[in-house]
Amino acid sequence: MKNIIIGLVVLLLFPWAVAESRPFDVEDLVSLARVSDPRLSPDGLFVAYALRETDRDNDRGVSTLWLVPTAGSTGPVRVTTPTSSASGPQWGNDGRSLYFLSDRSGSQQVWRLPLDGGEAAQVTDYPLAVRSFVVAPDGRKLVVSLEVFLDCDNLECTRERLDERTAGPATGVLHDRLFLRHWDTWKDGRRSQLFAVDLDENHQAGTPRLLTPDFDGDVPTRPFGGRSDMTFSPDGEQLVFVARVAPGEEPWSTNTDLWRVALRGEASPRNLTSDNPATDTAPVFSPDGRYLAWLAMARPGFEADRRRILLRDLRSGKTREVAPDWDRSPYGLAFSTDGRTLYTRADDQGHRRLFSIDVASGRTQAISGDGAVGEFDAGSGVVVFTRDDLASPAQLFRTDASGGALGRLTDHNAERLEDVEFGAFEQFSFAGAGGREVFGWLVRPVGYEPGRRYPVAFIIHGGPQGSMGNSFHYRWNPQTYAGKGYAVVFIDFHGSTGYGQSFTDSISRDWGGKPLEDLRLGWAAAQAQFPLLDGQRACALGASYGGYMINWIAGAWPEGFDCLVNHSGVFDTRSMYYTTEELWFPEWEMGGPQYENPAGYERFNPVNFVDRWRTPMLVIHGAKDFRVPLEQGLAAFTALQRRGIPSRFLYFPDENHWILKPANSVQWHRTVEAWLDRWTAGDPDTTRRGTGAED
């Protein structure tokens, strides 16, 4: 009671001492702790996970490992030091140790941490960095992925060749085939290959044994493959992994297959999915080892086809689809401990939900509610997963196997966000292209006052087969604009995911058609439904396909907005075909190679309509962006400058398709905010739209 009275006196005498709320800002965004990669202990009592925190002094993220009881009985505990990064936690078979990747020895190697006391010990000590690894169910061996030259018969050969290249005065690299470069990295002739490693009684790794001899493919797949590309059988005798083996055709092939290799005897991987010329991925064994489940697409060359859940009986060899009538495209799979249920996540009408699927009947049930589910794990009657939404960064949650009440296990950003105010948000719908119901979202500005009208940031998502909905994004986060006084609108146009495969399919060969119509109709519908939106003070922003759409809007809808922001957007679909790396993407989207179907590339090509451009545009590009190469941004800026249109070019020499470094992210946001402020400031009843005039 005494403390309560003292608190009341302080409030009365010193009201300014009470912390006032403040709007969310990019400084908050880059400083947030990020929860990822939850892994259940064998008994299901604990979950290990990674937490990325920001080291602003060194302009980087540092990942450490944490433990928390799944019952939520106590809070999380950090188990690795923040002096070096630790990632990819995996439990030892006894549930009393964690294996993980760390660069604390100078290169990325596998380490082991005993949880009943003691320091982490290095497990592998190879002359090459370990890219990824999995622990065998019996805890006696690992399988590791190492980048090697295929003609080398030991790891030292690869190390010596790399050192010779660095030491020599000549710097030229000769290539005979594509890929020359992928995502943000130039190829140097190495492949990621799998090696089996026996562990001694002290958990030290022995000499690695190649499991993929003469295997002209990367395991895990490039550029984003990881541990989910590899899985042990429950008895530890076999490994199933994902690889694309398409020598000379890799850049235009989406044909990843499942391969099986025995851990004993002579290695000879066998292709399990040779009958499917499209994507096969995400393999998991049932706990009893009888079944293998995985995700498979049906159409070769299409990276956004519906991922079907396939189940193979390894006794009979028969394969069937699970839940064939479920019109969603799932990510990742995990079996329940009894093998009767599969868990997965999928985009679902503006959310990304966790689903349970009855293996026998295919009955599907959402078990996570609204928001966006990230990585997950299942076992021993519990499912753990990360979840975020438009007003909350990712945290760790649990539910029981039947999808009961959610339990929150972490709250890492509570202190940083305790005085932060987020903009309220809601979903809306309207009749889009062809009369189809299309969904969008509104985020109100922080401090919203009824009756006032606010400038608008109109965000266009990339992909294009993706979704921008109820999720917390660490790059394109609507709350950073809401915190600056903007209302934010974004639309899941035709081509977006989570609304059925036919809706996703509808954008291919129609990039500037139905999607633009949806954006026009959605913008009009939002203004009609929400009077707070000042349609005369609005800027459109987009990246990748969204950046393409900004370039397309500049010519096809020049009166639409007061300013534009184009991040890594396609400017010329023709030249884009010959400079991007994954050729399967433009070949599917535009209807074949450019030289076979030039009309398909010209139909919605922004470069053909530069004569109509007049809207001020900020162009942003990274030098290491090999997906939409830098020259696309340079060309757009050249067109703007030559036409005398107010424009700026923000160049990042050390970033790829995404802006990832904390300081660069802050610079990106401050530049974009200043651009929006410049063109939306002033009298809301006066517009300079489409004049191209300077201030």
Side-chain angles (χ1 to χ4, degrees):
M1 179 61 71
K2 179 180 179 181
N3 290 337
I4 294 175
I5 293 173
I6 292 173
L8 291 173
V9 170
V10 170
L11 287 174
L12 290 172
L13 297 180
F14 307 102
W16 58 85
V18 181
E20 296 183 357
S21 64
R22 59 180 180 84
F24 186 71
D25 182 75
V26 63
E27 291 287 351
D28 298 307
L29 183 67
V30 301
S31 300
L32 291 174
R34 307 180 188 183
V35 175
S36 66
D37 206 3
R39 295 290 155 178
L40 280 167
S41 60
D43 58 12
L45 297 180
F46 290 88
V47 56
Y49 62 96
L51 187 75
R52 178 198 180 277
E53 297 172 281
T54 303
D55 177 358
R56 293 300 301 273
D57 291 338
N58 293 297
D59 197 31
R60 62 173 188 152
V62 177
S63 175
T64 55
L65 302 185
W66 294 65
L67 285 181
V68 64
T70 54
S73 52
T74 61
V77 176
R78 190 199 306 265
V79 294
T80 63
T81 63
T83 54
S84 60
S85 277
S87 62
Q90 295 183 53
W91 288 88
N93 66 314
D94 58 1
R96 298 168 59 188
S97 60
L98 279 177
Y99 291 85
F100 60 94
L101 290 173
S102 178
D103 59 1
R104 61 182 66 184
S105 64
S107 71
Q108 184 163 275
Q109 300 293 324
V110 180
W111 291 67
R112 178 181 178 273
L113 175 69
L115 297 177
D116 52 3
E119 295 295 323
Q122 188 170 341
V123 175
T124 63
D125 187 11
Y126 299 138
L128 305 174
V130 176
R131 182 184 168 202
S132 186
F133 78 102
V134 285
V135 182
D138 62 6
R140 297 178 180 177
K141 51 185 169 289
L142 308 175
V143 169
V144 300
S145 174
L146 305 170
E147 284 191 301
V148 298
F149 292 108
L150 296 182
D151 61 341
C152 280
D153 58 6
N154 57 63
L155 303 187
E156 288 73 17
C157 168
T158 293
R159 179 74 269 161
E160 291 170 2
R161 190 175 301 178
L162 291 172
D163 292 342
E164 289 171 1
R165 288 183 178 182
T166 302
T171 59
V173 180
L174 185 63
H175 296 271
D176 295 309
R177 67 182 188 183
L178 300 175
F179 292 106
L180 287 177
R181 56 189 189 176
H182 203 179
W183 185 247
D184 61 4
T185 305
W186 285 89
K187 293 292 187 177
D188 64 4
R190 288 179 293 166
R191 285 288 199 183
S192 294
Q193 300 286 281
L194 294 183
F195 295 80
V197 178
D198 290 326
L199 301 179
D200 64 20
E201 65 274 11
N202 296 316
H203 312 287
Q204 295 298 295
T207 302
R209 180 172 65 90
L210 182 63
L211 291 176
T212 49
D214 304 315
F215 202 78
D216 197 359
D218 287 306
V219 189
T221 53
R222 290 289 188 180
F224 301 121
R227 189 171 57 208
S228 63
D229 281 357
M230 304 178 283
T231 186
F232 270 104
S233 60
D235 61 9
E237 294 297 316
Q238 301 178 77
L239 184 85
V240 172
F241 61 90
V242 179
R244 179 191 295 109
V245 181
E249 300 180 356
E250 191 173 4
W252 51 93
S253 170
T254 60
N255 184 20
T256 57
D257 284 303
L258 303 189
W259 299 76
R260 181 170 61 190
V261 64
L263 272 293
R264 299 180 185 275
E266 186 175 349
S268 181
R270 175 192 168 201
N271 192 339
L272 301 178
T273 56
S274 58
D275 59 339
N276 180 23
T279 296
D280 295 281
T281 190
V284 290
F285 281 95
S286 61
D288 62 5
R290 177 173 177 177
Y291 297 97
L292 179 69
W294 73 96
L295 301 176
M297 297 182 183
R299 289 175 282 183
F302 186 24
E303 69 174 22
D305 196 11
R306 175 175 169 264
R307 287 176 288 273
R308 301 167 297 145
I309 301 173
L310 298 187
L311 186 74
R312 178 170 297 177
D313 186 330
L314 297 176
R315 294 180 187 172
S316 68
K318 293 182 179 180
T319 302
R320 68 178 177 89
E321 183 176 355
V322 177
D325 297 328
W326 186 45
D327 196 9
R328 292 292 182 265
S329 189
Y331 300 84
L333 292 171
F335 272 101
S336 61
T337 50
D338 62 9
R340 296 179 180 179
T341 303
L342 277 166
Y343 298 98
T344 189
R345 62 191 175 106
D347 290 343
D348 184 41
Q349 201 163 298
H351 305 270
R352 179 168 289 179
R353 306 184 199 276
L354 185 67
F355 291 87
S356 65
I357 303 175
D358 181 75
V359 173
S361 67
R363 183 178 62 86
T364 304
Q365 177 185 358
I367 61 174
S368 63
D370 293 346
V373 168
E375 296 155 305
F376 63 94
D377 196 13
S380 298
V382 64
V383 184
V384 293
F385 54 94
T386 64
R387 178 191 170 278
D388 56 84
D389 61 37
L390 277 165
S392 175
Q395 296 297 338
L396 192 60
F397 290 80
R398 63 148 289 161
T399 186
D400 59 37
S402 62
L406 301 185
R408 182 167 178 159
L409 299 177
T410 64
D411 194 9
H412 282 286
N413 295 293
E415 184 176 350
R416 168 165 286 278
L417 298 178
E418 64 180 351
D419 62 340
V420 168
E421 182 180 354
F422 290 101
F425 58 90
E426 63 182 282
Q427 191 176 34
F428 66 95
S429 67
F430 59 94
R436 170 70 187 260
E437 185 178 24
V438 175
F439 289 84
W441 292 82
L442 167 75
V443 179
R444 286 179 166 79
V446 173
Y448 163 70
E449 299 176 8
R452 282 193 59 188
R453 303 183 74 206
Y454 294 86
V456 181
F458 187 84
I459 301 177
I460 304 167
H461 73 68
Q465 292 92 352
S467 174
M468 186 169 182
N470 189 13
S471 65
F472 195 91
H473 206 287
Y474 292 102
R475 296 187 312 278
W476 285 86
N477 194 305
Q479 295 289 355
T480 62
Y481 304 97
K484 294 300 179 184
Y486 288 85
V488 190
V489 175
F490 39 103
I491 306 295
D492 263 358
F493 46 80
H494 273 78
S496 299
T497 51
Y499 306 91
Q501 190 60 41
S502 64
F503 191 80
T504 301
D505 290 348
S506 64
I507 194 173
S508 299
R509 301 163 184 79
D510 193 33
W511 272 30
K514 290 185 292 295
L516 178 62
E517 187 176 353
D518 286 342
L519 295 175
R520 285 177 176 268
L521 293 170
W523 179 219
Q527 293 179 76
Q529 294 183 44
F530 306 110
L532 78 156
L533 301 177
D534 187 345
Q536 297 303 310
R537 292 189 295 160
C539 292
L541 313 82
S544 196
Y545 171 83
Y548 158 87
M549 181 54 73
I550 292 298
N551 286 331
W552 184 244
I553 284 173
W557 189 15
E559 74 285 0
F561 298 95
D562 294 290
C563 77
L564 303 171
V565 178
N566 162 18
H567 176 99
S568 294
V570 177
F571 171 76
D572 180 2
T573 55
R574 179 175 56 248
S575 64
M576 169 73 177
Y577 175 78
Y578 292 103
T579 54
T580 192
E581 10 85 286
E582 293 181 349
L583 292 177
W584 65 72
F585 178 72
E587 289 186 6
W588 182 273
E589 293 303 307
M590 306 301 166
Q594 189 277 334
Y595 55 83
E596 290 183 0
N597 182 25
Y601 287 76
E602 299 306 323
R603 184 182 178 197
F604 298 112
N605 193 351
V607 71
N608 294 330
F609 299 93
V610 169
D611 61 319
R612 303 179 188 176
W613 285 24
R614 64 193 194 207
T615 309
M617 186 188 297
L618 169 65
V619 182
I620 309 172
H621 227 106
K624 297 172 70 176
D625 185 352
F626 303 153
R627 182 59 45 85
V628 180
L630 172 64
E631 289 70 22
Q632 295 290 315
L634 292 174
F637 185 64
T638 297
L640 292 157
Q641 289 281 299
R642 187 63 182 86
R643 283 187 50 76
I645 299 170
S647 49
R648 305 193 81 184
F649 187 85
L650 178 58
Y651 167 66
F652 290 98
D654 54 350
E655 298 282 11
N656 57 32
H657 200 54
W658 303 331
I659 306 302
L660 300 175
K661 295 182 178 180
N664 286 343
S665 179
V666 172
Q667 182 185 17
W668 188 100
H669 280 83
R670 295 297 184 232
T671 303
V672 170
E673 290 162 4
W675 187 251
L676 268 60
D677 289 347
R678 173 181 175 183
W679 297 103
T680 61
D683 186 350
D685 295 323
T686 302
T687 180
R688 299 179 299 257
R689 180 163 304 172
T691 64
E694 293 279 5
D695 284 351

